[in-house]
Amino acid sequence: GWLPVAGLLRQERVTVGELFDRLGPEGLGLALLLLTLPTLIPVPGPIGITFGALIALVAIQVMIGAGALWLPQVLRSRTLPSAILRGVIARALPWLARAEHWLHERRLASLTGRRARAVVALLLLPLAVAIILPIPFGNVGPALALIAFSLGFMARDGAAILLAVILGLAALAWTGFLFMAGAALLEWGAALVGW
């Protein structure tokens, strides 16, 4: 649960390294959840880029079957305001409580092992990239898919992971559509003003 990070969040600022260290080797699902939730908050600035890059880093490690989460020192030393993380968790808790009713450990267990997770991570990486892209509302679908993955990993529920795969593919298709529509709109606007 949240106990490994609860004490940490009493500090004013938390480094990314401290957060990952508290999560430990079994903290993949929780790490993914904590890194994805802030991307749902429509805050201006580099939130999508920062958290998307961290999610991509986690995805790569899952793909290679890493036992514990590793971060380069330049990212470990980055600080995050605890108030934002606390707010994110407070908003998430009621939804997580509801999700627990639907989650069942060991359901479709073949999708929860390390090898299966490494295959599933092939989808986590493009979802992280979709969050990094500056597309208006383009991060919502990928973020929801990543949250479904994180819940599936935490509960070791293969059915939740399967649902996350479906959501992930739909989110990537939607992001692709938004990207193409945006490009077409820019092209039309440029033609209109005679560029």
Side-chain angles (χ1 to χ4, degrees), residues 146-157:
L146 286 165
I147 288 167
F149 274 119
S150 68
L151 294 174
F153 289 150
M154 283 194 289
R156 296 192 175 159
D157 184 345

Side-chain angles (χ1 to χ4, degrees), residues 7-63:
L8 203 59
L9 295 179
R10 292 192 193 103
Q11 301 172 23
E12 194 176 326
R13 294 187 76 83
V14 179
T15 69
V16 173
E18 285 175 318
L19 192 60
F20 270 59
D21 290 345
R22 287 290 176 97
L23 296 176
E26 287 302 308
L28 168 66
L30 188 52
L32 205 53
L33 187 66
L34 287 174
L35 294 174
T36 303
L37 286 171
T39 68
L40 284 170
I41 302 170
V43 179
I47 283 199
I49 294 168
T50 303
F51 285 94
L54 288 168
I55 293 164
L57 194 62
V58 170
I60 290 165
Q61 291 177 69
V62 179
M63 278 161 59

